[in-house]
Amino acid sequence: MPRKKADAKFCPMCGSPDVYFASGMPQMWSLWDCRNCGYRGPVIVDDEALASKLAEDWNSGRKA
Ligand SMILES: [Zn+2]
């Protein structure tokens, strides 16, 4: 079986792979934290192509 990057998760806001699962919140099923932009929410991106586009938009938005 070819190794897939199935574990890769990206921030839906900035496309950063620097996201981690926010634990310690029993009533929340899935909360993710982004260390890059501070995003916190249940939505996560696992599509690397989409993530790189998000990162592009995020970075260009910052420069503008
Ligand atoms: Zn982010």
Side-chain angles (χ1 to χ4, degrees):
M1 238 176 114
R3 185 175 291 243
K4 282 176 69 183
K5 294 183 187 172
D7 287 352
K9 305 287 185 208
F10 304 93
C11 172
M13 295 296 291
C14 69
S16 168
D18 201 7
V19 290
Y20 63 99
F21 195 78
S23 57
M25 297 181 141
Q27 68 272 58
M28 304 286 194
W29 354 273
S30 313
L31 262 194
W32 295 88
D33 265 309
C34 175
R35 285 176 182 159
N36 186 48
C37 73
Y39 164 81
R40 172 176 280 189
V43 178
I44 205 72
V45 171
D46 59 5
D47 182 330
E48 196 169 358
L50 175 59
S52 62
K53 174 148 185 24
L54 287 168
E56 225 172 78
D57 291 349
W58 176 265
N59 288 324
S60 65
R62 281 192 139 183
K63 277 177 207 155

